[in-house]
Amino acid sequence: MLIIFAAIQNKENRSRLEVLYEEHASRMYKVAYRILKDEHLAQDAVQEAFINISNTIDKIIGTDCNKIKALFVIIVRNVAIDIYRLRKKQYSLSIEEIEEDLSESGPSVEEILMNNETFTRVAEKIRELHPPYADILSLKFF
């Protein structure tokens, strides 16, 4: 939060934002936490909400009225929902990528060697058979 406060060059706006943060941050955190169910993401949502608020700090009149409280709750709720959707989208994409990787994986090297070895043994056994029978099996399988 210090970076946000330092970015505001007007001392009056900076002090107003500090007062707003002290009065509303805990309520905003609770709203964000109810949506995100994660402490760190809720803190991120509050910080992002205050970044949005700092961009329009000139338009905010007063610090402790019900309209300001409602506005801040709405802002942090929207930010938290955006974070939730983004996380959900990233999670679903990673699951899909994993499923694609699993479906595309072919036989392992061991399986290929076992198949080649089995093929060689079967071919040798067929060659040991009486020629007419060997010809029939060779035509059938090879």
Side-chain angles (χ1 to χ4, degrees), residues 73-127:
V73 167
I74 291 170
I75 290 172
V76 77
R77 184 195 66 190
N78 291 341
V79 169
I81 289 171
D82 289 343
I83 291 172
Y84 176 80
R85 286 179 183 155
L86 181 65
R87 297 276 295 180
K88 186 176 177 181
K89 188 176 183 181
Q90 288 174 345
Y91 180 72
S92 67
L93 288 177
S94 64
I95 293 293
E96 289 172 0
E97 290 171 0
I98 290 171
E99 289 175 353
E100 287 176 11
D101 290 342
L102 291 177
S103 66
E104 291 177 2
S105 64
S108 67
V109 174
E110 292 173 351
E111 291 173 343
I112 293 171
L113 290 175
M114 294 287 284
N115 289 338
N116 287 342
E117 189 175 313
T118 304
F119 176 79
T120 305
R121 285 184 189 166
V122 169
E124 288 173 6
K125 293 297 180 183
I126 289 176
R127 280 189 220 120

